[in-house]
Amino acid sequence: MNIDTVKLAYFSPTGTTRKVLNGIAEGLGANSIEQIDLTLPATDTLKPADIQNELVIFGVPVYEGRVSKTAIPRLQQLRADKTPAVIVVMYGNRDFEDALLELNDLTREMGFLPIAGGAFVGEHSFANEDRPLANGRPDTDDMKAAKEFGSKIRAKFNDLKSIDEASSITPPGNTPYIDRDRSPMEAMAATTLVEDCILCGECATVCPVGAITVEEAVITDNIACILCNACVKNCSTGARVVDDPMVNKIANWVSRNFQARRDPVTFI
Ligand SMILES: Cc1cc2nc3c(=O)[nH]c(=O)nc-3n(C[C@H](O)[C@H](O)[C@H](O)COP(=O)(O)O)c2cc1C
Ligand code: SF4
Ligand code: SF4
C-alpha cells in the first residue's frame, strides 16, 4: 500500500507530542508530511476534514491517565472511512493508564483504523529544576525509538495489499476508563508574578484554551485553564507559574515517586 502522504494531527501544549510525531514520520520516510496542529483555540472550528487514502498519525498528551479532554472535540473534526491511523500518547513518566485505549476507541468512532500505537515519554508538564520528572525528554534515545517505530509501520504497510488486511491493535487499559471528573485540579490555574512580568503577551499566544488576556495586566480565566503549563514554559522572565498548594503537593509527590526511567512502548 502507498503511504507517501502522512498527516500529523496533534494537541501538544508543551511540544513533546509534536516532536515525537515528527520523529515517527521521519522514520516512515514519507514524501509529504502535513501538520494538523490542533493545539490553539482557533482549531476548535476547523472545516470538517474527510480524510481518505492517507495515513494519519494522532498524538495527544495523557492528562490524569486519559486523553486530554480539550483535544477530543478538536480531533473529532477529522472524519474517515477506514483510513489507516497510528495513535500515540505522550506521558510524563508516571503512567499512561487508559489513554491509549481511549484514543484507539475514539479514532475508531471517527472512522479510522488504528494499525499501530505507542506510548512515549515527554518532560512532565509540571516538572522544573526543583521537581524534575523526565526533564529534557523526549531525548536522543526516545527519538531513536520514534524513528524505529516509523520504520516498522512502513514495513507493515509494505506487506499489505489492502487496508482490509491490516491487523488492528489491542492497547492496554480498562473500560470504563479511569474517572477524571472529580479531579482536585479542576478549579486551579496558572498565575502571574506581577513584579517579574514585562507584559509581552507570549503566554496569551500559546494558551490552548484562550484563558489569558494581556493588557495593563495579565488576566487569567481560572475556570478555563487546563493547567497545561504552556504559558509557564514559554514565559521568558519566569513570571508565569503554577503555584497552587494542591498542585504543588501532587506534582512533588509524582516527582518523588516516578523517577525510574520508563521507555517507549509500541503496539504493531
Ligand atoms: C493536567 C495534567 C495531567 C497530567 N497527567 C499525567 C498522567 O496521568 N501521567 C503522566 O505520566 N503524565 C501526566 N501529565 C504529563 C504530560 O502527559 C506530559 O508532560 C506530556 O509529555 C505533555 O505533552 P505536550 O508536551 O505535548 O503538551 C499530565 C500533565 C498535565 C498538564
Ligand atoms: S509571557 Fe510572562 S512576561 Fe510575558 S506577559 Fe506572560 S507572564 Fe508576563
Ligand atoms: S493559562 Fe492554563 S491553559 Fe492557558 S497556557 Fe497557562 S496553564 Fe495552559
Side-chain angles (χ1 to χ4, degrees), residues 217-234:
V218 177
I219 298 165
T220 307
D221 178 342
N222 291 357
I223 305 294
C225 175
I226 56 168
L227 288 176
C228 72
N229 279 270
C231 56
V232 176
K233 299 209 179 198
N234 283 285

PDB file of all heavy atoms in Angstrom, residues 217-234:
ATOM      1  N   ALA A 217      -2.496  44.366  32.567  1.00  0.00           N
ATOM      2  CA  ALA A 217      -2.101  43.281  33.477  1.00  0.00           C
ATOM      3  C   ALA A 217      -2.434  41.960  32.785  1.00  0.00           C
ATOM      4  O   ALA A 217      -3.114  41.955  31.757  1.00  0.00           O
ATOM      5  CB  ALA A 217      -2.889  43.398  34.775  1.00  0.00           C
ATOM      6  N   VAL A 218      -1.909  40.882  33.341  1.00  0.00           N
ATOM      7  CA  VAL A 218      -2.250  39.566  32.797  1.00  0.00           C
ATOM      8  C   VAL A 218      -3.462  39.034  33.550  1.00  0.00           C
ATOM      9  O   VAL A 218      -3.425  38.901  34.772  1.00  0.00           O
ATOM     10  CB  VAL A 218      -1.061  38.579  32.952  1.00  0.00           C
ATOM     11  CG1 VAL A 218      -1.446  37.195  32.447  1.00  0.00           C
ATOM     12  CG2 VAL A 218       0.165  39.095  32.234  1.00  0.00           C
ATOM     13  N   ILE A 219      -4.531  38.777  32.822  1.00  0.00           N
ATOM     14  CA  ILE A 219      -5.749  38.272  33.470  1.00  0.00           C
ATOM     15  C   ILE A 219      -5.969  36.834  33.021  1.00  0.00           C
ATOM     16  O   ILE A 219      -5.886  36.524  31.821  1.00  0.00           O
ATOM     17  CB  ILE A 219      -6.964  39.142  33.096  1.00  0.00           C
ATOM     18  CG1 ILE A 219      -6.716  40.568  33.597  1.00  0.00           C
ATOM     19  CG2 ILE A 219      -8.259  38.586  33.686  1.00  0.00           C
ATOM     20  CD1 ILE A 219      -7.625  41.601  33.010  1.00  0.00           C
ATOM     21  N   THR A 220      -6.226  35.960  33.976  1.00  0.00           N
ATOM     22  CA  THR A 220      -6.404  34.537  33.665  1.00  0.00           C
ATOM     23  C   THR A 220      -7.821  34.093  34.012  1.00  0.00           C
ATOM     24  O   THR A 220      -8.317  34.396  35.101  1.00  0.00           O
ATOM     25  CB  THR A 220      -5.404  33.683  34.480  1.00  0.00           C
ATOM     26  OG1 THR A 220      -4.097  34.192  34.257  1.00  0.00           O
ATOM     27  CG2 THR A 220      -5.459  32.218  34.078  1.00  0.00           C
ATOM     28  N   ASP A 221      -8.443  33.394  33.083  1.00  0.00           N
ATOM     29  CA  ASP A 221      -9.740  32.783  33.339  1.00  0.00           C
ATOM     30  C   ASP A 221      -9.485  31.450  34.056  1.00  0.00           C
ATOM     31  O   ASP A 221      -9.119  30.443  33.442  1.00  0.00           O
ATOM     32  CB  ASP A 221     -10.451  32.566  31.992  1.00  0.00           C
ATOM     33  CG  ASP A 221     -11.806  31.894  32.161  1.00  0.00           C
ATOM     34  OD1 ASP A 221     -12.053  31.294  33.213  1.00  0.00           O
ATOM     35  OD2 ASP A 221     -12.604  31.955  31.202  1.00  0.00           O
ATOM     36  N   ASN A 222      -9.658  31.478  35.379  1.00  0.00           N
ATOM     37  CA  ASN A 222      -9.299  30.309  36.197  1.00  0.00           C
ATOM     38  C   ASN A 222     -10.110  29.064  35.869  1.00  0.00           C
ATOM     39  O   ASN A 222      -9.654  27.936  36.046  1.00  0.00           O
ATOM     40  CB  ASN A 222      -9.495  30.622  37.685  1.00  0.00           C
ATOM     41  CG  ASN A 222      -8.481  31.634  38.168  1.00  0.00           C
ATOM     42  OD1 ASN A 222      -7.609  32.048  37.403  1.00  0.00           O
ATOM     43  ND2 ASN A 222      -8.589  32.034  39.417  1.00  0.00           N
ATOM     44  N   ILE A 223     -11.340  29.267  35.411  1.00  0.00           N
ATOM     45  CA  ILE A 223     -12.196  28.113  35.100  1.00  0.00           C
ATOM     46  C   ILE A 223     -11.722  27.458  33.801  1.00  0.00           C
ATOM     47  O   ILE A 223     -11.690  26.232  33.668  1.00  0.00           O
ATOM     48  CB  ILE A 223     -13.685  28.546  34.967  1.00  0.00           C
ATOM     49  CG1 ILE A 223     -14.151  29.291  36.219  1.00  0.00           C
ATOM     50  CG2 ILE A 223     -14.583  27.344  34.656  1.00  0.00           C
ATOM     51  CD1 ILE A 223     -14.195  28.464  37.490  1.00  0.00           C
ATOM     52  N   ALA A 224     -11.314  28.299  32.827  1.00  0.00           N
ATOM     53  CA  ALA A 224     -10.900  27.758  31.522  1.00  0.00           C
ATOM     54  C   ALA A 224      -9.547  27.057  31.580  1.00  0.00           C
ATOM     55  O   ALA A 224      -9.300  26.103  30.838  1.00  0.00           O
ATOM     56  CB  ALA A 224     -10.858  28.879  30.490  1.00  0.00           C
ATOM     57  N   CYS A 225      -8.649  27.512  32.461  1.00  0.00           N
ATOM     58  CA  CYS A 225      -7.269  26.983  32.493  1.00  0.00           C
ATOM     59  C   CYS A 225      -7.253  25.472  32.699  1.00  0.00           C
ATOM     60  O   CYS A 225      -7.911  24.951  33.599  1.00  0.00           O
ATOM     61  CB  CYS A 225      -6.480  27.664  33.613  1.00  0.00           C
ATOM     62  SG  CYS A 225      -4.818  26.986  33.823  1.00  0.00           S
ATOM     63  N   ILE A 226      -6.492  24.761  31.862  1.00  0.00           N
ATOM     64  CA  ILE A 226      -6.397  23.300  31.976  1.00  0.00           C
ATOM     65  C   ILE A 226      -5.047  22.881  32.582  1.00  0.00           C
ATOM     66  O   ILE A 226      -4.686  21.703  32.536  1.00  0.00           O
ATOM     67  CB  ILE A 226      -6.609  22.613  30.602  1.00  0.00           C
ATOM     68  CG1 ILE A 226      -5.602  23.137  29.549  1.00  0.00           C
ATOM     69  CG2 ILE A 226      -8.057  22.791  30.136  1.00  0.00           C
ATOM     70  CD1 ILE A 226      -5.565  22.320  28.264  1.00  0.00           C
ATOM     71  N   LEU A 227      -4.290  23.833  33.084  1.00  0.00           N
ATOM     72  CA  LEU A 227      -3.009  23.575  33.769  1.00  0.00           C
ATOM     73  C   LEU A 227      -1.963  22.913  32.871  1.00  0.00           C
ATOM     74  O   LEU A 227      -1.112  22.166  33.346  1.00  0.00           O
ATOM     75  CB  LEU A 227      -3.228  22.701  35.011  1.00  0.00           C
ATOM     76  CG  LEU A 227      -3.914  23.353  36.208  1.00  0.00           C
ATOM     77  CD1 LEU A 227      -4.134  22.324  37.304  1.00  0.00           C
ATOM     78  CD2 LEU A 227      -3.113  24.530  36.748  1.00  0.00           C
ATOM     79  N   CYS A 228      -2.056  23.200  31.565  1.00  0.00           N
ATOM     80  CA  CYS A 228      -1.154  22.522  30.630  1.00  0.00           C
ATOM     81  C   CYS A 228       0.298  22.968  30.766  1.00  0.00           C
ATOM     82  O   CYS A 228       1.212  22.305  30.303  1.00  0.00           O
ATOM     83  CB  CYS A 228      -1.619  22.755  29.200  1.00  0.00           C
ATOM     84  SG  CYS A 228      -1.337  24.450  28.643  1.00  0.00           S
ATOM     85  N   ASN A 229       0.516  24.133  31.370  1.00  0.00           N
ATOM     86  CA  ASN A 229       1.864  24.685  31.606  1.00  0.00           C
ATOM     87  C   ASN A 229       2.540  25.277  30.372  1.00  0.00           C
ATOM     88  O   ASN A 229       3.718  25.607  30.416  1.00  0.00           O
ATOM     89  CB  ASN A 229       2.795  23.659  32.272  1.00  0.00           C
ATOM     90  CG  ASN A 229       2.576  23.576  33.769  1.00  0.00           C
ATOM     91  OD1 ASN A 229       3.209  24.286  34.532  1.00  0.00           O
ATOM     92  ND2 ASN A 229       1.641  22.752  34.195  1.00  0.00           N
ATOM     93  N   ALA A 230       1.800  25.424  29.274  1.00  0.00           N
ATOM     94  CA  ALA A 230       2.412  26.036  28.082  1.00  0.00           C
ATOM     95  C   ALA A 230       2.864  27.461  28.392  1.00  0.00           C
ATOM     96  O   ALA A 230       3.942  27.888  27.996  1.00  0.00           O
ATOM     97  CB  ALA A 230       1.415  26.037  26.927  1.00  0.00           C
ATOM     98  N   CYS A 231       2.033  28.225  29.127  1.00  0.00           N
ATOM     99  CA  CYS A 231       2.402  29.618  29.442  1.00  0.00           C
ATOM    100  C   CYS A 231       3.634  29.649  30.332  1.00  0.00           C
ATOM    101  O   CYS A 231       4.521  30.482  30.155  1.00  0.00           O
ATOM    102  CB  CYS A 231       1.224  30.339  30.098  1.00  0.00           C
ATOM    103  SG  CYS A 231       0.578  29.545  31.576  1.00  0.00           S
ATOM    104  N   VAL A 232       3.698  28.710  31.296  1.00  0.00           N
ATOM    105  CA  VAL A 232       4.825  28.674  32.230  1.00  0.00           C
ATOM    106  C   VAL A 232       6.124  28.403  31.465  1.00  0.00           C
ATOM    107  O   VAL A 232       7.126  29.103  31.632  1.00  0.00           O
ATOM    108  CB  VAL A 232       4.594  27.573  33.295  1.00  0.00           C
ATOM    109  CG1 VAL A 232       5.799  27.437  34.219  1.00  0.00           C
ATOM    110  CG2 VAL A 232       3.320  27.853  34.080  1.00  0.00           C
ATOM    111  N   LYS A 233       6.092  27.405  30.579  1.00  0.00           N
ATOM    112  CA  LYS A 233       7.321  27.005  29.874  1.00  0.00           C
ATOM    113  C   LYS A 233       7.724  28.011  28.799  1.00  0.00           C
ATOM    114  O   LYS A 233       8.861  28.006  28.343  1.00  0.00           O
ATOM    115  CB  LYS A 233       7.172  25.596  29.309  1.00  0.00           C
ATOM    116  CG  LYS A 233       6.927  24.572  30.443  1.00  0.00           C
ATOM    117  CD  LYS A 233       7.408  23.162  30.197  1.00  0.00           C
ATOM    118  CE  LYS A 233       7.098  22.304  31.429  1.00  0.00           C
ATOM    119  NZ  LYS A 233       7.775  21.084  31.613  1.00  0.00           N
ATOM    120  N   ASN A 234       6.794  28.883  28.382  1.00  0.00           N
ATOM    121  CA  ASN A 234       7.124  29.852  27.333  1.00  0.00           C
ATOM    122  C   ASN A 234       7.318  31.271  27.852  1.00  0.00           C
ATOM    123  O   ASN A 234       7.561  32.178  27.056  1.00  0.00           O
ATOM    124  CB  ASN A 234       6.033  29.855  26.256  1.00  0.00           C
ATOM    125  CG  ASN A 234       6.167  28.645  25.340  1.00  0.00           C
ATOM    126  OD1 ASN A 234       7.041  28.583  24.494  1.00  0.00           O
ATOM    127  ND2 ASN A 234       5.319  27.648  25.553  1.00  0.00           N
TER     128      ASN A 234
END
